[in-house]
Amino acid sequence: MNSVFLSGAGGMLGNSILRELIRRNYSVTALYRPGERISEIKSDHFKPVIGDLLDNDKIISLSSGAEFIIHAAASTTVWPRRHPLTLLVNLQGTKNLVRAAQQHKVKRFVHIGTANSFAPGTKQNPGKETNAYDGWKFEMDYMDSKYLAQEFLLKEYRENKFSFISVNPTFMIGPYDFGPSSGKMILALYGNKIPGYSEGGKSFVCSKDVATAAVNGLTMGRDGECYIAGGENLTYQEFFKKVSDVMHKPFTLKRIPGSMVIVYGFLNSSLARITRKAPVLSYGMAKIGNIEQFYSSEKIRNELQMPSTPIENGINDCLNWFKENKYC
């Protein structure tokens, strides 16, 4: 039985990856942060461990015996935009886990990156893995740190033949969203707390599809390659219309001009600096929310056989999980 060390097991994607690994009879050592909720999985092949990616010696010890590593852990903090701990966790944490993988001579390292490490495109010409990174303009440590971690891995591949691939998800929707994170939009619409939608759009993908691709990546794909894990390229109007349909609610949202979204985000961030409480919509996210972030997932579907589940299924899974866990 092949053994896998999984970081970020407590996150939305990490939970789905863990379940997919167990389903395929992998033996999994799953890393959780101190105080993080441990998945309620009853299996002799599931071993939860507690640790910190920044504790290099502990990570080397906990990952001992692993034949593969899937690195799904990350700090996803987007406010404040400059956040030293986010940069440290996402870059130095990745470096620590890579050093552990090299010491243990793992067969392959699967890194969960972000599609934002490549410039997005339009519906007619969606972003691809050949697009250069342009996220510096947003001055956001989350995006920059994920890109720098990917660059570190590519350098290790070029110089040391380190066996890795990177799975780069777009905006994921699905169950196990304890935060909640991406599911906040669905919860807000369910509670009639969304005033409208902005002008931009995203590539929305079911998190379970990304989990399948990540596990496939243990044995599929080409070393040193990045794979954008995208789904349906939708404007926010199209996305919220689909969410409303899943909820069996009439679609009544109106478009909010981009300039108003920017002003609202700026005022929210200004107030947050005073109150020290995270804003509902930060200035940085307001800027991103006004652009089209559309991507092609052709490469990952061809090489990692990622499924193409309709996003309505992911929305339904997310909503049902929220209901079962008393979020709404």
Side-chain angles (χ1 to χ4, degrees):
M1 180 178 291
N2 291 316
S3 57
V4 179
F5 182 80
L6 170 66
S7 74
M12 180 179 73
L13 178 60
N15 263 280
S16 286
I17 291 174
L18 173 60
R19 285 165 169 78
E20 183 64 17
L21 287 167
I22 296 297
R23 188 185 71 80
R24 299 197 204 180
N25 294 317
Y26 282 95
S27 175
V28 187
T29 299
L31 179 67
Y32 294 84
R33 300 191 310 270
E36 193 171 28
R37 181 173 175 174
I38 295 175
S39 304
E40 296 176 354
I41 295 178
K42 299 188 185 304
S43 171
D44 293 336
H45 308 312
F46 167 51
K47 177 186 177 183
V49 295
I50 309 299
D52 187 331
L53 281 174
L54 299 179
D55 187 341
N56 190 46
D57 292 340
K58 185 74 174 289
I59 290 299
I60 290 174
S61 174
L62 292 175
S63 60
S64 178
E67 297 173 86
F68 300 94
I69 288 178
I70 299 180
H71 178 32
S75 170
T76 58
T77 299
V78 293
W79 184 87
R81 286 183 291 168
R82 292 307 188 194
H83 197 280
L85 184 59
T86 294
L87 186 62
L88 191 62
V89 169
N90 293 346
L91 182 54
Q92 188 59 49
T94 298
K95 290 181 178 181
N96 289 348
L97 199 50
V98 167
R99 299 307 180 210
Q102 290 170 327
Q103 182 166 324
H104 301 321
K105 295 181 171 56
V106 302
K107 295 177 181 178
R108 177 170 275 182
F109 185 102
V110 176
H111 172 247
I112 304 300
T114 172
N116 290 325
S117 292
F118 306 97
T122 63
K123 282 193 177 185
Q124 294 72 29
N125 186 28
K128 297 182 179 180
E129 293 84 355
T130 52
N131 290 15
Y133 177 60
D134 69 349
W136 306 113
K137 61 188 178 185
F138 295 110
E139 300 179 321
M140 191 173 291
D141 276 341
Y142 168 68
M143 292 173 64
D144 292 349
S145 63
K146 293 296 287 182
Y147 170 70
L148 291 171
Q150 180 174 288
E151 286 295 291
F152 167 75
L153 285 159
L154 289 168
K155 183 172 183 288
E156 286 298 311
Y157 169 72
R158 291 192 301 267
E159 296 182 358
N160 300 312
K161 299 302 179 185
F162 180 61
S163 178
F164 97 98
I165 67 166
S166 182
V167 173
N168 296 60
T170 56
F171 196 84
M172 293 181 288
I173 299 291
Y176 318 119
D177 192 1
F178 290 100
S181 54
S182 60
K184 282 182 179 179
M185 292 197 302
I186 294 174
L187 281 176
L189 187 62
Y190 183 87
N192 299 312
K193 295 179 180 179
I194 290 187
Y197 57 87
S198 59
E199 298 174 349
K202 291 181 182 291
S203 171
F204 295 90
V205 64
C206 295
S207 55
K208 288 182 179 180
D209 286 357
V210 180
T212 298
V215 178
N216 286 351
L218 296 175
T219 55
M220 296 180 185
R222 293 171 289 151
D223 272 342
E225 291 290 322
C226 300
Y227 296 89
I228 294 174
E232 297 180 39
N233 289 319
L234 303 169
T235 64
Y236 290 116
Q237 179 186 24
E238 292 168 333
F239 174 71
F240 283 121
K241 176 65 167 60
K242 286 180 179 285
V243 177
S244 295
D245 289 345
V246 171
M247 294 180 180
H248 304 293
K249 295 177 62 170
F251 180 71
T252 59
L253 298 182
K254 303 298 182 182
R255 184 177 68 84
I256 302 174
S259 57
M260 289 184 62
V261 175
I262 295 294
V263 170
Y264 181 71
F266 177 79
L267 293 175
N268 265 262
S269 289
S270 299
L271 180 62
R273 282 193 288 271
I274 298 172
T275 63
R276 300 295 180 181
K277 294 182 180 180
V280 175
L281 178 69
S282 68
Y283 177 62
M285 293 310 294
K287 289 173 65 178
I288 293 175
N290 274 330
I291 66 172
E292 294 182 340
Q293 293 182 289
F294 298 141
Y295 290 94
S296 168
S297 54
E298 180 180 3
K299 182 178 178 182
I300 197 169
R301 299 198 194 285
N302 288 338
E303 298 189 25
L304 299 186
Q305 297 180 14
M306 189 178 86
S308 302
T309 305
I311 197 60
E312 289 89 345
N313 292 33
I315 295 168
N316 192 58
D317 285 347
C318 178
L319 185 60
N320 287 338
W321 187 86
F322 279 145
K323 290 178 178 178
E324 290 168 5
N325 288 273
K326 306 297 188 294
Y327 282 76
C328 59

